[in-house]
Amino acid sequence: MNSLSLKKIAAGVYTAKTGDKTDGVLSLVANEPKIEAINNNYSDAPLPFDGIFTEKVGNKTVVCIPRNLSERHYGPGLRFRSLATNFSVLHMRCDHYGGSDNGRTHVPTPFYLSDAGYGVFIDTPEFITFYMGGTVRTDAKNPPEEQNRGRGPWSADTPSEFVEASFEGDADVYVFAGESMLEAVAKFNLFCGGGARIPKWGLGFWHRTHTQFDENDVKNEIKLFEERNFDLDVIGLEPGWHSNSYPCSYEWDEQRFPDPKEFVSSLLKKDIRVNLWENLFVSKKAKIYEEIMPFCGSHKVWNGIVPDFTLEKAREIIANQHKKEHIDIGVSGYKIDECDGYDEWLFPDHTSFPSGRSAAAVRNTLGILAQKNIYNAFRKENKRTYGLVRASAAGSAMMPFCIYNDCYSFEQYLTGLASSSLTGCLWVPEVRDAQTPEEWVRRFQMCVFSPMLMLNAWANGVKPWKFKEVEDTVRETVRFRKSLLPYLYNAFYTYAEKGIPPFRAMCLDFSGTGSQKRSGLDHTESPYETLRLFDTYDQYMAGDSIMVCPMRPGEKTRKISLPAGEWYDWYTGEYAGSGEMLQIECPLEKIPLYVKGGAMIPTVEKDGSLTVRCYGNSGSGFLYDDDGESFDFENGKYAYCEMSFIKENGAVTGKIEKTRGDGFVSEYKAVRFI
Ligand code: GAL
């Protein structure tokens, strides 16, 4: 047993190595930690526990992290069925989610939270198993009482004073301590580079066309969208654009896309970006095949060779090809598919790679390193990108990519949204299909309050007007998303600068001892509500102030939990309640939305004017703006405006004033406060 002595590296951030030879994911991804942002935005906090230790057992390193028996844990990893993880045993490895939260997931980041206001991150690329507070050591100081099943109530749970984790090799252990779980997550995200700076167009409407489409099919599809007034921002091309996919050539199919440059620029003229699907397995038909071969592993996937993404040379070959063939002609980003598994679709665990790294390490970092490679390629051109990826790891907060999968359960997609905020990534509950018009609308609505509003018609060629009877509602839903652009852009600014996820599980904002202190809310008077919020996934926060309570298909009425504080109805502006459960009804055209008292929500009208919606009697807010597509904000080309309002006799008086940056507030024609 070795006690681990953690040293402070930023306000409330501590670290130690379990041995000399650490080779963590963060060092591979090489994002710059935003230490200053941690120190400037958050207060210091002491180590939340004493007595963390490690031991070597066989070829494994074990880390034992003390906990109080009453602590609640969330994570590690992206989950789809529940948020809290006490007593779980999680075998973390990058994989396509197979229906249970057992650790095999798209984002198996070894980072978990405690509602005592801290997070622990064990930085290793290897597979790692977590025992979330149910393992009782014989040398425990406070072992749980033995129970007797033959007498009275009995429980199989044996609460333990440790979370334990085991893995091969050594790791860097980090503790992110703060006043709340939210602060712990924010510090973790900032340490991983801060939240993604996504382009404005990324917050618009995405549509992925049928995989067999050629250039004319795509152009015709766009015409149809125009005729029906569905304002597109991004077209996604699926596997069929490649001359070969599964494995991939990364080259345009000459029959389908004879003049890719003309194709991409004709879309750009309409303000529509092109996003390209790819997987990471290289076809013999690819021009880069011979060049990349020496940097690939011993086993193929779908008969394609697998680049060792931990090697710079492999990444460079791909980045150069992508730049020349795609980025230079105006392609805006990628959907990096299939980098997650399943086992039978990936290389075996005994695959050898030229870097000498284990197959586990390559597998767990494939998605994040591919993202970083693409990010860097655009960064060099001073361009922001936004795309999709099916696997990620530590460092993903900074990556402008959303995770997605094929499970298509409404409920699980909703849970994914909440869970992503606990594990430092973005999740998109894309729309693909529906059994009923109602389901169709409800799915679009969930997407409006997510990092990406996307229809994915890759398999069925579906259009937004699939159900005539709700075509108008879907169109309005898309417009609603677009009107929220200034608010959502603010939320991503806060993600980048303060590490606060744009879409958040309720437990981040409203539960845990620390968060009560932070927000001035007191849950002690409403224990039922507190309990419910611990594992709530069916309502969540979007940006600073909006609480989203999606209606599920088939649901005419639902229960919502209003945390303590003042809440207002989005639509009527009327006071809705505080610290109580409500049974609500909501017509199909609306998403149940509640806004914090004092909030100012900037929205943009069709005519380009800015409307700031003000809730309660007085309050304040901000508006961040920049050019929306470059990194010029780093040189002061942005505007940060402070806003405030008071409401008297029903009339709102508002103020907006630029306080930082030498940029501009977009060409908003007029500003009004309501
Ligand atoms: C799936 C992916 C889909 C679609 C398809 C194309 O793996 O999740 O969204 O891209 O591949 O083959």
Side-chain angles (χ1 to χ4, degrees):
M1 247 191 235
N2 276 323
S3 80
L4 208 55
S5 134
L6 293 136
K7 68 167 200 292
K8 182 149 85 181
I9 49 171
V13 183
Y14 302 84
T15 189
K17 289 177 185 302
T18 67
D20 297 337
K21 285 205 215 111
T22 61
D23 185 22
V25 176
L26 288 188
S27 66
L28 279 168
V29 180
N31 297 342
E32 198 169 319
K34 285 192 161 173
I35 301 289
E36 242 180 75
I38 297 176
N39 293 337
N40 292 343
N41 289 300
Y42 301 103
S43 49
D44 200 1
L47 253 183
F49 42 68
D50 280 330
I52 180 170
F53 66 90
T54 68
E55 54 185 8
K56 299 277 177 195
V57 181
N59 63 349
K60 294 273 166 83
T61 298
V62 181
V63 181
C64 296
I65 307 121
R67 62 184 290 273
N68 283 328
L69 299 192
S70 60
E71 283 177 33
R72 283 259 179 173
H73 298 298
Y74 297 88
L78 181 63
R79 300 167 62 80
F80 297 95
R81 288 185 176 274
S82 64
L83 302 180
T85 49
N86 288 50
F87 300 113
S88 300
V89 178
L90 300 164
H91 301 283
M92 309 306 295
R93 67 152 70 193
C94 188
D95 204 343
H96 195 97
Y97 165 66
S100 82
D101 285 331
N102 55 10
R104 286 178 177 260
T105 178
H106 309 273
V107 190
T109 308
F111 171 74
Y112 72 87
L113 287 157
S114 158
D115 67 341
Y118 68 88
V120 175
F121 170 45
I122 302 186
D123 190 8
T124 168
E126 298 297 328
F127 299 151
I128 172 165
T129 300
F130 278 88
Y131 300 84
M132 299 305 298
T135 46
V136 182
R137 302 176 63 94
T138 43
D139 57 2
K141 287 196 199 93
N142 298 304
E145 292 277 308
E146 277 185 19
Q147 299 181 56
N148 183 351
R149 200 174 197 177
R151 299 275 183 283
W154 180 89
S155 160
D157 296 338
T158 51
S160 122
E161 59 204 48
F162 291 105
V163 166
E164 301 188 76
S166 66
F167 50 89
E168 281 180 23
D170 282 313
D172 294 300
V173 178
Y174 295 91
V175 178
F176 298 88
E179 292 213 336
S180 64
M181 286 208 294
L182 185 60
E183 208 175 291
V185 152
K187 286 181 180 178
F188 173 64
N189 288 340
L190 289 172
F191 194 74
C192 291
R197 286 276 189 173
I198 65 169
K200 277 187 191 166
W201 51 259
L203 291 170
F205 182 32
W206 293 56
H207 176 62
R208 308 201 72 85
T209 53
H210 191 276
T211 184
Q212 303 287 353
F213 269 18
D214 65 14
E215 172 179 324
N216 287 329
D217 297 327
V218 177
K219 287 183 174 170
N220 288 337
E221 183 108 321
I222 290 173
K223 232 186 256 156
L224 291 180
F225 273 63
E226 282 166 357
E227 280 163 19
R228 294 193 178 240
N229 275 318
F230 279 94
D231 191 8
L232 272 174
D233 294 275
V234 185
I235 277 284
L237 302 184
E238 287 287 316
W241 73 268
H242 290 254
S243 57
N244 204 89
S245 59
Y246 289 87
C248 288
S249 65
Y250 312 104
E251 283 147 33
W252 297 86
D253 180 299
E254 284 175 11
Q255 255 93 54
R256 287 187 174 150
F257 295 90
D259 189 350
K261 192 169 175 196
E262 187 282 329
F263 169 73
V264 175
S265 59
S266 70
L267 265 59
L268 278 175
K269 277 189 204 124
K270 291 174 180 282
D271 228 11
I272 298 175
R273 266 79 185 169
V274 175
N275 175 285
L276 298 179
W277 175 100
E278 68 177 22
N279 67 40
L280 302 176
F281 316 118
V282 185
S283 157
K284 264 193 192 128
K285 294 182 196 133
K287 287 195 198 113
I288 57 168
Y289 184 79
E290 294 298 335
E291 194 188 359
I292 206 160
M293 176 74 124
F295 308 102
C296 290
S298 61
H299 288 67
K300 293 185 176 183
V301 176
W302 283 305
N303 286 324
I305 50 176
V306 183
D308 183 341
F309 268 79
T310 69
L311 292 175
E312 200 182 327
K313 189 66 195 164
R315 298 197 297 263
E316 194 184 291
I317 294 168
I318 290 165
N320 287 343
Q321 190 275 340
H322 281 32
K323 173 176 155 43
K324 213 166 104 227
E325 310 271 340
H326 318 141
I327 300 173
D328 283 354
I329 64 166
V331 164
S332 73
Y334 296 86
K335 168 175 169 180
I336 310 171
D337 205 18
E338 315 287 6
C339 43
D340 46 349
Y342 301 108
D343 279 357
E344 57 274 29
W345 285 348
L346 221 54
F347 44 83
D349 292 349
H350 54 266
T351 305
S352 63
F353 283 93
S355 62
R357 288 198 170 83
S358 67
V362 172
R363 176 173 178 157
N364 277 344
T365 56
L366 212 49
I368 187 72
L369 292 175
Q371 289 171 70
K372 184 70 191 274
N373 203 29
I374 298 294
Y375 168 85
N376 281 342
F378 280 96
R379 186 80 171 82
K380 277 190 199 141
E381 310 293 314
N382 191 24
K383 278 189 188 149
R384 285 184 242 171
T385 180
Y386 197 28
L388 297 118
V389 68
R390 242 179 38 194
S392 205
S396 66
M398 208 191 117
M399 293 300 113
F401 287 84
C402 296
I403 317 294
Y404 63 97
N405 73 11
D406 296 334
C407 99
Y408 211 57
S409 144
F410 190 96
E411 204 77 8
Q412 290 171 43
Y413 275 18
L414 194 49
T415 317
L417 263 174
S419 169
S420 60
S421 66
L422 304 167
T423 200
C425 67
L426 300 172
W427 162 258
V428 51
E430 62 179 42
V431 183
R432 287 189 181 192
D433 208 351
Q435 299 301 312
T436 63
E438 188 210 4
E439 181 191 345
W440 191 237
V441 173
R442 292 304 188 200
R443 283 192 181 267
F444 271 96
Q445 290 176 340
M446 173 167 41
C447 256
V448 166
F449 286 95
S450 86
M452 190 182 276
L453 171 61
M454 184 173 79
L455 178 59
N456 182 5
W458 80 274
N460 56 6
V462 71
K463 319 273 185 269
W465 49 92
K466 173 182 167 99
F467 295 100
K468 296 271 170 305
E469 57 274 55
V470 292
E471 179 176 340
D472 288 345
T473 308
V474 172
R475 190 179 298 103
E476 278 314 307
T477 307
V478 171
R479 283 198 184 132
F480 182 39
R481 163 79 174 197
K482 291 187 176 239
S483 74
L484 289 167
L485 182 108
Y487 180 69
L488 296 177
Y489 204 56
N490 267 0
F492 274 93
Y493 169 79
T494 306
Y495 191 29
E497 296 294 311
K498 296 191 177 166
I500 295 180
F503 302 94
R504 297 183 301 285
M506 295 303 286
C507 61
L508 274 187
D509 285 40
F510 298 107
S511 63
T513 45
S515 57
Q516 289 173 27
K517 237 192 291 162
R518 189 188 67 84
S519 59
L521 303 176
D522 181 3
H523 290 293
T524 48
E525 283 167 20
S526 181
Y528 175 54
E529 173 207 340
T530 309
L531 205 64
R532 189 180 133 74
L533 289 175
F534 270 132
D535 209 21
T536 294
Y537 60 86
D538 64 353
Q539 58 187 74
Y540 57 95
M541 294 301 296
D544 281 345
S545 322
I546 303 179
M547 184 171 69
V548 189
C549 307
M551 300 291 285
R552 300 170 177 87
E555 212 169 46
K556 295 279 168 284
T557 165
R558 66 160 289 180
K559 250 191 187 160
I560 63 160
S561 172
L562 294 176
E566 271 179 27
W567 294 92
Y568 291 81
D569 183 288
W570 165 272
Y571 302 94
T572 63
E574 275 164 24
Y575 179 69
S578 165
E580 59 197 290
M581 305 282 293
L582 299 183
Q583 188 76 36
I584 58 154
E585 282 170 25
C586 194
L588 188 57
E589 309 74 59
K590 288 184 176 168
I591 315 166
L593 298 173
Y594 296 87
V595 188
K596 278 185 189 166
M600 298 181 81
I601 316 276
T603 61
V604 62
E605 302 290 336
K606 266 186 252 166
D607 69 0
S609 62
L610 189 77
T611 299
V612 184
R613 301 173 72 102
C614 306
Y615 291 87
N617 294 325
S618 65
S620 59
F622 75 99
L623 179 70
Y624 171 80
D625 200 18
D626 58 25
D627 69 13
E629 53 187 4
S630 77
F631 289 87
D632 290 352
F633 61 83
E634 288 172 350
N635 304 317
K637 292 269 179 285
Y638 70 89
Y640 183 96
C641 303
E642 282 172 27
M643 305 193 289
S644 60
F645 81 96
I646 44 168
K647 203 179 269 180
E648 277 164 331
N649 306 322
V652 179
T653 317
K655 264 203 308 207
I656 178 164
E657 194 189 343
K658 190 167 92 181
T659 50
R660 284 209 308 270
D662 56 11
F664 43 87
V665 175
S666 281
E667 325 66 47
Y668 295 123
K669 290 206 184 101
V671 183
R672 73 189 177 123
F673 298 86
I674 59 167

